[in-house]
Amino acid sequence: MKDSLIKILGTLLFFSMICSCKSPKELLQKGAYDKVLSSLESKAKKGKLSASDKDLFVKSLNGYLNTGKKQLESRFISNEAKDWQEGVDLLNTYAGRQEKYLAYRQILDKDVTAIDVDKWYVAFGEKLFVHHLNKYEIHMADFDQSGDRAHVRKAYYEVENLMDYDDGTLNLDSMSSLCLDLGHREFYVQINNRSFERFNFSYFENDVNLRNTDWASFTNNSSAEYQLIISLEEVYKDEVVESERQRTYTDRVIVGYNTVADTTGTREEPIYEQVQATVREVRYAYRVDAVAQVWIFEGDDQRPIYDRIFRRNDQDVQEQNFFQSGDRRALPSNLPTDNFNPQNYNFDYLVRDVLRDLGEEVSFAVRRL
């Protein structure tokens, strides 16, 4: 009975799968052009399409590309630059598949109404070129008005966008160089220690890694326009009891032997005694918190233009057992007691790791200024 039921269910599942799998012709009628192309692509690539397969493939390819043209048109008539950029991305997708399919030897160019990739690229490029040029000019005007070099950096990235759609009317290399010249800042760097942590300060200092970039250079030249001060302010060390409890251990221990004689002979039987011991279990957390501060001052009058505090912390957790009372023989042999004095915990390794992390965080933030 059970086997018959399994066979019936298997048969139903088989016919269900057959019914759910539509033929390429049915997919074409439903406008599922991409699925038709995918189902026949292996044959097309090998040049083994039958006459009917080739007809389905060409019709699906034309339907697919016609859909692409409509999508490109909708993006092009938009007033939003993000839609134009999306149009370029779509164009790249359609152009790649169009080129691949037209390379199959059974697919003839004359049978396919292809997308004019060059025409569309020029059309989108003209709009995006004007858009990014306008944004470049706005950012440069903002810089002229405020003197804030952040506007120059934004203008530089607009020039990079313009290079994707260069029509040869502008000297984009010159515009890019101008942005880099105007936006570059030289920093006179001082790294100070205002904490009481002397021994491990070098870990923080050595992990403040300030590499020169297109936009910033770091120097010991005190005449630089900007002064960058990085200061280790505080290093806090703390010990806290996270949890504490009393635990009682019990065991049976042998305290002697009785001599027993019977018909089988004489033997020694152990004498057991129930013992117990109380242990105080303490979970300690050793914590380190470190604080650094970064300032940037500009010009001869040392105007403060940046002030930020950075914090990093970490902790180490250790457990300790303290024998309280009772018989030590009740304790497990692998249970250490009274072998560590929490007051003598060595914070150096924990401080080192925290200061290194703090130095890396400060470096990352400064490089992004």
Side-chain angles (χ1 to χ4, degrees):
M1 181 68 180
K2 184 177 180 181
D3 291 340
S4 298
L5 181 60
I6 292 175
K7 289 180 180 178
I8 293 171
L9 291 174
T11 303
L12 291 173
L13 179 62
F14 175 74
F15 281 109
S16 175
M17 291 175 64
I18 291 177
C19 293
S20 63
C21 295
K22 293 182 171 57
S23 68
K25 186 176 181 180
E26 291 173 313
L27 291 172
L28 176 61
Q29 291 171 348
K30 290 183 175 294
Y33 308 120
D34 203 30
K35 290 183 178 180
V36 177
L37 294 172
S38 297
S39 67
L40 297 175
E41 184 172 357
S42 179
K43 287 184 179 180
K45 188 174 184 179
K46 297 174 183 177
K48 295 183 177 180
L49 291 171
S50 65
S52 59
D53 287 340
K54 177 183 174 183
D55 182 60
L56 288 171
F57 193 92
V58 171
K59 287 179 178 178
S60 296
L61 179 54
N62 280 319
Y64 171 75
L65 295 177
N66 188 53
T67 299
K69 293 172 188 176
K70 292 177 181 178
Q71 291 179 336
L72 293 171
E73 182 66 32
S74 70
R75 303 309 191 277
F76 184 76
I77 63 177
S78 169
N79 293 321
E80 299 292 332
K82 64 180 181 61
D83 292 329
W84 305 335
Q85 183 59 57
E86 189 175 316
V88 173
D89 297 335
L90 281 171
L91 179 59
N92 288 332
T93 299
Y94 279 104
R97 296 191 68 178
Q98 175 176 279
E99 181 180 7
K100 179 175 70 170
Y101 294 147
L102 288 177
Y104 297 155
R105 64 176 181 270
Q106 289 181 282
I107 310 303
L108 305 179
D109 291 357
K110 67 181 182 63
D111 296 330
V112 177
T113 307
I115 294 174
D116 189 338
V117 176
D118 292 339
K119 182 197 77 172
W120 278 109
Y121 191 82
V122 169
F124 280 117
E126 288 175 348
K127 285 195 170 189
L128 286 167
F129 189 87
V130 172
H131 167 72
H132 290 299
L133 180 58
N134 287 338
K135 292 191 69 175
Y136 165 83
E137 292 173 345
I138 289 171
H139 291 314
M140 292 300 285
D142 289 341
F143 167 69
D144 290 338
Q145 184 176 2
S146 67
D148 185 351
R149 285 176 167 84
H151 295 300
V152 176
R153 186 178 300 188
K154 293 177 182 178
Y156 172 83
Y157 295 126
E158 294 303 328
V159 175
E160 287 198 328
N161 289 326
L162 285 169
M163 289 180 178
D164 291 334
Y165 312 104
D166 185 10
D167 62 359
T169 60
L170 298 174
N171 188 338
L172 297 181
D173 289 337
S174 176
M175 292 165 63
S176 176
S177 297
L178 175 63
C179 290
L180 290 173
D181 290 341
L182 293 175
H184 188 86
R185 294 181 293 180
E186 184 181 47
F187 295 91
Y188 167 53
V189 181
Q190 288 181 285
I191 303 178
N192 303 324
N193 181 15
R194 303 200 331 187
S195 73
F196 291 103
E197 182 59 50
R198 307 300 175 190
F199 180 73
N200 293 300
F201 171 69
S202 60
Y203 291 114
F204 173 76
E205 185 177 29
N206 293 337
D207 276 80
V208 176
N209 184 10
L210 304 178
R211 297 188 297 268
N212 292 341
T213 68
D214 287 338
W215 300 107
S217 56
F218 304 95
T219 178
N220 57 5
N221 179 10
S222 59
S223 63
E225 181 181 0
Y226 294 88
Q227 183 178 13
L228 171 64
I229 297 178
I230 300 172
S231 176
L232 179 62
E233 296 289 291
E234 297 287 351
V235 179
Y236 302 100
K237 304 171 189 174
D238 193 19
E239 171 194 327
V240 297
V241 175
E242 282 199 336
S243 63
E244 182 177 0
R245 68 172 182 171
Q246 299 282 350
R247 183 171 179 180
T248 300
Y249 291 88
T250 61
D251 199 5
R252 294 173 67 214
V253 298
I254 298 174
V255 295
Y257 293 89
N258 285 326
T259 302
V260 177
D262 55 23
T263 57
T264 62
T266 301
R267 66 182 184 277
E268 298 291 321
E269 290 188 346
I271 302 171
Y272 290 98
E273 179 181 328
Q274 191 83 3
V275 294
Q276 70 176 31
T278 302
V279 172
R280 174 171 163 254
E281 298 178 343
V282 184
R283 181 182 174 90
Y284 292 96
Y286 302 95
R287 300 172 180 169
V288 171
D289 292 89
V291 179
Q293 193 161 3
V294 175
W295 297 270
I296 294 179
F297 300 94
E298 180 183 12
D300 296 333
D301 56 353
Q302 293 295 286
R303 297 184 304 278
I305 61 172
Y306 184 87
D307 183 355
R308 181 177 170 187
I309 293 175
F310 298 84
R311 301 178 185 274
R312 295 289 291 194
N313 59 75
D314 199 0
Q315 72 174 24
D316 181 25
V317 175
Q318 295 190 5
E319 296 181 353
Q320 177 60 27
N321 303 301
F322 297 95
F323 176 76
Q324 297 291 286
S325 62
D327 193 323
R328 286 183 178 271
R329 291 177 298 172
L331 301 178
S333 59
N334 61 348
L335 181 71
T337 57
D338 297 340
N339 64 334
F340 178 76
N341 182 355
Q343 300 300 322
N344 293 330
Y345 179 81
N346 184 356
F347 279 91
D348 284 344
Y349 295 106
L350 197 55
V351 170
R352 176 198 63 187
D353 292 342
V354 170
L355 291 184
R356 282 178 169 172
D357 289 344
L358 186 61
E360 290 177 3
E361 183 178 357
V362 168
S363 301
F364 179 76
V366 170
R367 288 197 295 267
R368 290 171 59 89
L369 289 175

PDB file of all heavy atoms in Angstrom, residues 312-342:
ATOM      1  N   ARG A 312      38.471  53.981  22.193  1.00  0.00           N
ATOM      2  CA  ARG A 312      38.535  52.537  21.960  1.00  0.00           C
ATOM      3  C   ARG A 312      38.605  51.850  23.316  1.00  0.00           C
ATOM      4  O   ARG A 312      39.157  52.399  24.275  1.00  0.00           O
ATOM      5  CB  ARG A 312      39.755  52.152  21.137  1.00  0.00           C
ATOM      6  CG  ARG A 312      39.758  52.681  19.729  1.00  0.00           C
ATOM      7  CD  ARG A 312      38.751  52.009  18.850  1.00  0.00           C
ATOM      8  NE  ARG A 312      39.089  50.620  18.573  1.00  0.00           N
ATOM      9  CZ  ARG A 312      38.520  49.889  17.624  1.00  0.00           C
ATOM     10  NH1 ARG A 312      37.568  50.432  16.870  1.00  0.00           N
ATOM     11  NH2 ARG A 312      38.867  48.649  17.426  1.00  0.00           N
ATOM     12  N   ASN A 313      38.054  50.639  23.378  1.00  0.00           N
ATOM     13  CA  ASN A 313      38.110  49.888  24.628  1.00  0.00           C
ATOM     14  C   ASN A 313      38.133  48.399  24.336  1.00  0.00           C
ATOM     15  O   ASN A 313      37.755  47.952  23.253  1.00  0.00           O
ATOM     16  CB  ASN A 313      36.926  50.244  25.531  1.00  0.00           C
ATOM     17  CG  ASN A 313      35.591  49.954  24.869  1.00  0.00           C
ATOM     18  OD1 ASN A 313      35.174  48.810  24.756  1.00  0.00           O
ATOM     19  ND2 ASN A 313      34.926  51.013  24.401  1.00  0.00           N
ATOM     20  N   ASP A 314      38.566  47.668  25.343  1.00  0.00           N
ATOM     21  CA  ASP A 314      38.601  46.213  25.249  1.00  0.00           C
ATOM     22  C   ASP A 314      38.662  45.657  26.662  1.00  0.00           C
ATOM     23  O   ASP A 314      38.925  46.405  27.618  1.00  0.00           O
ATOM     24  CB  ASP A 314      39.812  45.747  24.428  1.00  0.00           C
ATOM     25  CG  ASP A 314      39.656  44.314  23.922  1.00  0.00           C
ATOM     26  OD1 ASP A 314      38.621  43.697  24.212  1.00  0.00           O
ATOM     27  OD2 ASP A 314      40.580  43.831  23.244  1.00  0.00           O
ATOM     28  N   GLN A 315      38.424  44.372  26.790  1.00  0.00           N
ATOM     29  CA  GLN A 315      38.483  43.778  28.113  1.00  0.00           C
ATOM     30  C   GLN A 315      38.943  42.335  28.041  1.00  0.00           C
ATOM     31  O   GLN A 315      38.857  41.682  27.000  1.00  0.00           O
ATOM     32  CB  GLN A 315      37.130  43.846  28.821  1.00  0.00           C
ATOM     33  CG  GLN A 315      36.066  42.908  28.266  1.00  0.00           C
ATOM     34  CD  GLN A 315      34.803  42.918  29.112  1.00  0.00           C
ATOM     35  OE1 GLN A 315      34.511  43.878  29.814  1.00  0.00           O
ATOM     36  NE2 GLN A 315      34.042  41.841  29.055  1.00  0.00           N
ATOM     37  N   ASP A 316      39.455  41.858  29.153  1.00  0.00           N
ATOM     38  CA  ASP A 316      39.869  40.478  29.313  1.00  0.00           C
ATOM     39  C   ASP A 316      39.099  39.927  30.505  1.00  0.00           C
ATOM     40  O   ASP A 316      38.996  40.585  31.548  1.00  0.00           O
ATOM     41  CB  ASP A 316      41.384  40.405  29.552  1.00  0.00           C
ATOM     42  CG  ASP A 316      41.869  38.979  29.713  1.00  0.00           C
ATOM     43  OD1 ASP A 316      41.192  38.066  29.201  1.00  0.00           O
ATOM     44  OD2 ASP A 316      42.916  38.769  30.362  1.00  0.00           O
ATOM     45  N   VAL A 317      38.535  38.744  30.348  1.00  0.00           N
ATOM     46  CA  VAL A 317      37.749  38.133  31.426  1.00  0.00           C
ATOM     47  C   VAL A 317      38.480  36.901  31.932  1.00  0.00           C
ATOM     48  O   VAL A 317      38.926  36.061  31.140  1.00  0.00           O
ATOM     49  CB  VAL A 317      36.342  37.756  30.936  1.00  0.00           C
ATOM     50  CG1 VAL A 317      35.570  37.017  32.016  1.00  0.00           C
ATOM     51  CG2 VAL A 317      35.578  39.005  30.508  1.00  0.00           C
ATOM     52  N   GLN A 318      38.618  36.813  33.253  1.00  0.00           N
ATOM     53  CA  GLN A 318      39.253  35.656  33.867  1.00  0.00           C
ATOM     54  C   GLN A 318      38.425  35.207  35.063  1.00  0.00           C
ATOM     55  O   GLN A 318      37.799  36.023  35.740  1.00  0.00           O
ATOM     56  CB  GLN A 318      40.691  35.978  34.305  1.00  0.00           C
ATOM     57  CG  GLN A 318      41.617  36.291  33.155  1.00  0.00           C
ATOM     58  CD  GLN A 318      43.065  36.374  33.572  1.00  0.00           C
ATOM     59  OE1 GLN A 318      43.413  36.116  34.718  1.00  0.00           O
ATOM     60  NE2 GLN A 318      43.928  36.762  32.636  1.00  0.00           N
ATOM     61  N   GLU A 319      38.446  33.905  35.301  1.00  0.00           N
ATOM     62  CA  GLU A 319      37.715  33.343  36.426  1.00  0.00           C
ATOM     63  C   GLU A 319      38.693  32.784  37.446  1.00  0.00           C
ATOM     64  O   GLU A 319      39.734  32.231  37.092  1.00  0.00           O
ATOM     65  CB  GLU A 319      36.753  32.244  35.952  1.00  0.00           C
ATOM     66  CG  GLU A 319      35.663  32.761  35.023  1.00  0.00           C
ATOM     67  CD  GLU A 319      34.715  31.666  34.581  1.00  0.00           C
ATOM     68  OE1 GLU A 319      34.994  30.491  34.897  1.00  0.00           O
ATOM     69  OE2 GLU A 319      33.702  31.990  33.932  1.00  0.00           O
ATOM     70  N   GLN A 320      38.333  32.917  38.736  1.00  0.00           N
ATOM     71  CA  GLN A 320      39.197  32.456  39.802  1.00  0.00           C
ATOM     72  C   GLN A 320      38.363  31.758  40.867  1.00  0.00           C
ATOM     73  O   GLN A 320      37.242  32.187  41.174  1.00  0.00           O
ATOM     74  CB  GLN A 320      39.957  33.644  40.428  1.00  0.00           C
ATOM     75  CG  GLN A 320      40.823  33.264  41.600  1.00  0.00           C
ATOM     76  CD  GLN A 320      41.896  32.248  41.210  1.00  0.00           C
ATOM     77  OE1 GLN A 320      42.311  32.207  40.049  1.00  0.00           O
ATOM     78  NE2 GLN A 320      42.319  31.454  42.157  1.00  0.00           N
ATOM     79  N   ASN A 321      38.898  30.675  41.382  1.00  0.00           N
ATOM     80  CA  ASN A 321      38.243  29.910  42.441  1.00  0.00           C
ATOM     81  C   ASN A 321      39.012  30.086  43.744  1.00  0.00           C
ATOM     82  O   ASN A 321      40.238  29.916  43.776  1.00  0.00           O
ATOM     83  CB  ASN A 321      38.190  28.418  42.073  1.00  0.00           C
ATOM     84  CG  ASN A 321      37.483  28.178  40.756  1.00  0.00           C
ATOM     85  OD1 ASN A 321      36.336  28.536  40.602  1.00  0.00           O
ATOM     86  ND2 ASN A 321      38.169  27.559  39.803  1.00  0.00           N
ATOM     87  N   PHE A 322      38.295  30.407  44.784  1.00  0.00           N
ATOM     88  CA  PHE A 322      38.907  30.582  46.109  1.00  0.00           C
ATOM     89  C   PHE A 322      38.323  29.543  47.067  1.00  0.00           C
ATOM     90  O   PHE A 322      37.106  29.484  47.277  1.00  0.00           O
ATOM     91  CB  PHE A 322      38.630  31.992  46.650  1.00  0.00           C
ATOM     92  CG  PHE A 322      39.224  33.088  45.811  1.00  0.00           C
ATOM     93  CD1 PHE A 322      38.465  33.720  44.836  1.00  0.00           C
ATOM     94  CD2 PHE A 322      40.529  33.478  45.975  1.00  0.00           C
ATOM     95  CE1 PHE A 322      39.004  34.719  44.056  1.00  0.00           C
ATOM     96  CE2 PHE A 322      41.085  34.481  45.200  1.00  0.00           C
ATOM     97  CZ  PHE A 322      40.312  35.103  44.240  1.00  0.00           C
ATOM     98  N   PHE A 323      39.199  28.723  47.618  1.00  0.00           N
ATOM     99  CA  PHE A 323      38.761  27.714  48.589  1.00  0.00           C
ATOM    100  C   PHE A 323      38.283  28.419  49.854  1.00  0.00           C
ATOM    101  O   PHE A 323      38.972  29.252  50.414  1.00  0.00           O
ATOM    102  CB  PHE A 323      39.915  26.768  48.911  1.00  0.00           C
ATOM    103  CG  PHE A 323      39.590  25.755  49.966  1.00  0.00           C
ATOM    104  CD1 PHE A 323      38.796  24.660  49.667  1.00  0.00           C
ATOM    105  CD2 PHE A 323      40.073  25.906  51.263  1.00  0.00           C
ATOM    106  CE1 PHE A 323      38.494  23.730  50.647  1.00  0.00           C
ATOM    107  CE2 PHE A 323      39.769  24.975  52.243  1.00  0.00           C
ATOM    108  CZ  PHE A 323      38.980  23.877  51.936  1.00  0.00           C
ATOM    109  N   GLN A 324      37.073  28.042  50.317  1.00  0.00           N
ATOM    110  CA  GLN A 324      36.489  28.679  51.487  1.00  0.00           C
ATOM    111  C   GLN A 324      36.552  27.789  52.720  1.00  0.00           C
ATOM    112  O   GLN A 324      37.071  28.192  53.764  1.00  0.00           O
ATOM    113  CB  GLN A 324      35.020  29.052  51.194  1.00  0.00           C
ATOM    114  CG  GLN A 324      34.837  30.065  50.074  1.00  0.00           C
ATOM    115  CD  GLN A 324      35.336  31.454  50.440  1.00  0.00           C
ATOM    116  OE1 GLN A 324      34.712  32.176  51.209  1.00  0.00           O
ATOM    117  NE2 GLN A 324      36.476  31.810  49.889  1.00  0.00           N
ATOM    118  N   SER A 325      36.011  26.599  52.632  1.00  0.00           N
ATOM    119  CA  SER A 325      35.968  25.721  53.802  1.00  0.00           C
ATOM    120  C   SER A 325      35.709  24.296  53.356  1.00  0.00           C
ATOM    121  O   SER A 325      35.341  24.043  52.215  1.00  0.00           O
ATOM    122  CB  SER A 325      34.864  26.175  54.768  1.00  0.00           C
ATOM    123  OG  SER A 325      33.592  26.099  54.136  1.00  0.00           O
ATOM    124  N   GLY A 326      35.879  23.362  54.317  1.00  0.00           N
ATOM    125  CA  GLY A 326      35.598  21.968  54.051  1.00  0.00           C
ATOM    126  C   GLY A 326      36.838  21.156  53.781  1.00  0.00           C
ATOM    127  O   GLY A 326      37.958  21.538  54.160  1.00  0.00           O
ATOM    128  N   ASP A 327      36.639  20.053  53.118  1.00  0.00           N
ATOM    129  CA  ASP A 327      37.717  19.091  52.844  1.00  0.00           C
ATOM    130  C   ASP A 327      38.147  19.233  51.385  1.00  0.00           C
ATOM    131  O   ASP A 327      37.345  19.016  50.471  1.00  0.00           O
ATOM    132  CB  ASP A 327      37.199  17.674  53.123  1.00  0.00           C
ATOM    133  CG  ASP A 327      38.319  16.644  53.166  1.00  0.00           C
ATOM    134  OD1 ASP A 327      39.268  16.777  52.383  1.00  0.00           O
ATOM    135  OD2 ASP A 327      38.219  15.705  53.977  1.00  0.00           O
ATOM    136  N   ARG A 328      39.405  19.571  51.153  1.00  0.00           N
ATOM    137  CA  ARG A 328      39.898  19.781  49.788  1.00  0.00           C
ATOM    138  C   ARG A 328      39.813  18.519  48.941  1.00  0.00           C
ATOM    139  O   ARG A 328      39.837  18.603  47.713  1.00  0.00           O
ATOM    140  CB  ARG A 328      41.349  20.288  49.813  1.00  0.00           C
ATOM    141  CG  ARG A 328      41.500  21.735  50.245  1.00  0.00           C
ATOM    142  CD  ARG A 328      42.956  22.170  50.163  1.00  0.00           C
ATOM    143  NE  ARG A 328      43.139  23.569  50.519  1.00  0.00           N
ATOM    144  CZ  ARG A 328      43.068  24.565  49.652  1.00  0.00           C
ATOM    145  NH1 ARG A 328      42.812  24.314  48.383  1.00  0.00           N
ATOM    146  NH2 ARG A 328      43.256  25.806  50.051  1.00  0.00           N
ATOM    147  N   ARG A 329      39.710  17.376  49.579  1.00  0.00           N
ATOM    148  CA  ARG A 329      39.623  16.136  48.812  1.00  0.00           C
ATOM    149  C   ARG A 329      38.323  16.056  48.011  1.00  0.00           C
ATOM    150  O   ARG A 329      38.215  15.257  47.086  1.00  0.00           O
ATOM    151  CB  ARG A 329      39.733  14.922  49.750  1.00  0.00           C
ATOM    152  CG  ARG A 329      41.120  14.744  50.373  1.00  0.00           C
ATOM    153  CD  ARG A 329      41.125  13.578  51.321  1.00  0.00           C
ATOM    154  NE  ARG A 329      40.188  13.780  52.443  1.00  0.00           N
ATOM    155  CZ  ARG A 329      39.891  12.831  53.352  1.00  0.00           C
ATOM    156  NH1 ARG A 329      40.452  11.631  53.257  1.00  0.00           N
ATOM    157  NH2 ARG A 329      39.049  13.096  54.329  1.00  0.00           N
ATOM    158  N   ALA A 330      37.353  16.895  48.343  1.00  0.00           N
ATOM    159  CA  ALA A 330      36.098  16.916  47.589  1.00  0.00           C
ATOM    160  C   ALA A 330      36.223  17.671  46.267  1.00  0.00           C
ATOM    161  O   ALA A 330      35.344  17.583  45.413  1.00  0.00           O
ATOM    162  CB  ALA A 330      34.995  17.541  48.437  1.00  0.00           C
ATOM    163  N   LEU A 331      37.291  18.396  46.085  1.00  0.00           N
ATOM    164  CA  LEU A 331      37.455  19.219  44.883  1.00  0.00           C
ATOM    165  C   LEU A 331      37.957  18.379  43.707  1.00  0.00           C
ATOM    166  O   LEU A 331      38.784  17.486  43.890  1.00  0.00           O
ATOM    167  CB  LEU A 331      38.441  20.357  45.147  1.00  0.00           C
ATOM    168  CG  LEU A 331      38.078  21.319  46.273  1.00  0.00           C
ATOM    169  CD1 LEU A 331      39.182  22.355  46.440  1.00  0.00           C
ATOM    170  CD2 LEU A 331      36.735  21.997  46.012  1.00  0.00           C
ATOM    171  N   PRO A 332      37.496  18.674  42.464  1.00  0.00           N
ATOM    172  CA  PRO A 332      38.043  17.994  41.284  1.00  0.00           C
ATOM    173  C   PRO A 332      39.539  18.245  41.173  1.00  0.00           C
ATOM    174  O   PRO A 332      40.037  19.327  41.511  1.00  0.00           O
ATOM    175  CB  PRO A 332      37.288  18.638  40.118  1.00  0.00           C
ATOM    176  CG  PRO A 332      36.037  19.197  40.727  1.00  0.00           C
ATOM    177  CD  PRO A 332      36.408  19.617  42.119  1.00  0.00           C
ATOM    178  N   SER A 333      40.256  17.259  40.680  1.00  0.00           N
ATOM    179  CA  SER A 333      41.716  17.372  40.611  1.00  0.00           C
ATOM    180  C   SER A 333      42.164  18.467  39.649  1.00  0.00           C
ATOM    181  O   SER A 333      43.263  19.010  39.789  1.00  0.00           O
ATOM    182  CB  SER A 333      42.319  16.032  40.176  1.00  0.00           C
ATOM    183  OG  SER A 333      41.811  15.655  38.909  1.00  0.00           O
ATOM    184  N   ASN A 334      41.316  18.812  38.676  1.00  0.00           N
ATOM    185  CA  ASN A 334      41.698  19.828  37.677  1.00  0.00           C
ATOM    186  C   ASN A 334      41.175  21.221  38.018  1.00  0.00           C
ATOM    187  O   ASN A 334      41.167  22.109  37.172  1.00  0.00           O
ATOM    188  CB  ASN A 334      41.200  19.421  36.295  1.00  0.00           C
ATOM    189  CG  ASN A 334      39.682  19.299  36.241  1.00  0.00           C
ATOM    190  OD1 ASN A 334      39.015  19.298  37.268  1.00  0.00           O
ATOM    191  ND2 ASN A 334      39.146  19.203  35.025  1.00  0.00           N
ATOM    192  N   LEU A 335      40.700  21.399  39.239  1.00  0.00           N
ATOM    193  CA  LEU A 335      40.173  22.703  39.643  1.00  0.00           C
ATOM    194  C   LEU A 335      41.245  23.480  40.396  1.00  0.00           C
ATOM    195  O   LEU A 335      41.562  23.160  41.545  1.00  0.00           O
ATOM    196  CB  LEU A 335      38.938  22.519  40.531  1.00  0.00           C
ATOM    197  CG  LEU A 335      38.277  23.812  41.015  1.00  0.00           C
ATOM    198  CD1 LEU A 335      37.574  24.500  39.842  1.00  0.00           C
ATOM    199  CD2 LEU A 335      37.293  23.536  42.150  1.00  0.00           C
ATOM    200  N   PRO A 336      41.822  24.537  39.765  1.00  0.00           N
ATOM    201  CA  PRO A 336      42.843  25.324  40.464  1.00  0.00           C
ATOM    202  C   PRO A 336      42.190  26.268  41.474  1.00  0.00           C
ATOM    203  O   PRO A 336      41.134  26.851  41.212  1.00  0.00           O
ATOM    204  CB  PRO A 336      43.520  26.104  39.335  1.00  0.00           C
ATOM    205  CG  PRO A 336      42.449  26.243  38.302  1.00  0.00           C
ATOM    206  CD  PRO A 336      41.583  25.020  38.394  1.00  0.00           C
ATOM    207  N   THR A 337      42.809  26.436  42.609  1.00  0.00           N
ATOM    208  CA  THR A 337      42.317  27.376  43.618  1.00  0.00           C
ATOM    209  C   THR A 337      43.488  28.183  44.169  1.00  0.00           C
ATOM    210  O   THR A 337      44.588  27.667  44.349  1.00  0.00           O
ATOM    211  CB  THR A 337      41.640  26.644  44.791  1.00  0.00           C
ATOM    212  OG1 THR A 337      42.551  25.714  45.371  1.00  0.00           O
ATOM    213  CG2 THR A 337      40.384  25.918  44.328  1.00  0.00           C
ATOM    214  N   ASP A 338      43.222  29.452  44.392  1.00  0.00           N
ATOM    215  CA  ASP A 338      44.199  30.351  45.014  1.00  0.00           C
ATOM    216  C   ASP A 338      45.524  30.410  44.265  1.00  0.00           C
ATOM    217  O   ASP A 338      46.568  30.663  44.868  1.00  0.00           O
ATOM    218  CB  ASP A 338      44.473  29.935  46.466  1.00  0.00           C
ATOM    219  CG  ASP A 338      43.246  30.043  47.345  1.00  0.00           C
ATOM    220  OD1 ASP A 338      42.301  30.778  46.984  1.00  0.00           O
ATOM    221  OD2 ASP A 338      43.210  29.386  48.374  1.00  0.00           O
ATOM    222  N   ASN A 339      45.494  30.203  42.956  1.00  0.00           N
ATOM    223  CA  ASN A 339      46.757  30.216  42.203  1.00  0.00           C
ATOM    224  C   ASN A 339      46.941  31.501  41.411  1.00  0.00           C
ATOM    225  O   ASN A 339      47.808  31.604  40.572  1.00  0.00           O
ATOM    226  CB  ASN A 339      46.809  29.021  41.252  1.00  0.00           C
ATOM    227  CG  ASN A 339      45.724  29.090  40.190  1.00  0.00           C
ATOM    228  OD1 ASN A 339      44.692  29.703  40.410  1.00  0.00           O
ATOM    229  ND2 ASN A 339      45.965  28.454  39.063  1.00  0.00           N
ATOM    230  N   PHE A 340      46.091  32.489  41.653  1.00  0.00           N
ATOM    231  CA  PHE A 340      46.204  33.743  40.899  1.00  0.00           C
ATOM    232  C   PHE A 340      45.705  34.880  41.767  1.00  0.00           C
ATOM    233  O   PHE A 340      44.647  34.796  42.371  1.00  0.00           O
ATOM    234  CB  PHE A 340      45.357  33.649  39.622  1.00  0.00           C
ATOM    235  CG  PHE A 340      45.363  34.902  38.803  1.00  0.00           C
ATOM    236  CD1 PHE A 340      46.455  35.235  38.022  1.00  0.00           C
ATOM    237  CD2 PHE A 340      44.273  35.747  38.813  1.00  0.00           C
ATOM    238  CE1 PHE A 340      46.451  36.380  37.265  1.00  0.00           C
ATOM    239  CE2 PHE A 340      44.260  36.906  38.050  1.00  0.00           C
ATOM    240  CZ  PHE A 340      45.355  37.225  37.284  1.00  0.00           C
ATOM    241  N   ASN A 341      46.477  35.926  41.806  1.00  0.00           N
ATOM    242  CA  ASN A 341      46.080  37.105  42.573  1.00  0.00           C
ATOM    243  C   ASN A 341      45.579  38.166  41.615  1.00  0.00           C
ATOM    244  O   ASN A 341      46.357  38.733  40.855  1.00  0.00           O
ATOM    245  CB  ASN A 341      47.274  37.638  43.374  1.00  0.00           C
ATOM    246  CG  ASN A 341      46.884  38.845  44.233  1.00  0.00           C
ATOM    247  OD1 ASN A 341      45.754  39.336  44.150  1.00  0.00           O
ATOM    248  ND2 ASN A 341      47.796  39.309  45.054  1.00  0.00           N
ATOM    249  N   PRO A 342      44.278  38.458  41.583  1.00  0.00           N
ATOM    250  CA  PRO A 342      43.738  39.429  40.614  1.00  0.00           C
ATOM    251  C   PRO A 342      44.379  40.805  40.701  1.00  0.00           C
ATOM    252  O   PRO A 342      44.435  41.535  39.737  1.00  0.00           O
ATOM    253  CB  PRO A 342      42.245  39.488  40.976  1.00  0.00           C
ATOM    254  CG  PRO A 342      41.971  38.214  41.707  1.00  0.00           C
ATOM    255  CD  PRO A 342      43.236  37.895  42.433  1.00  0.00           C
TER     256      PRO A 342
END
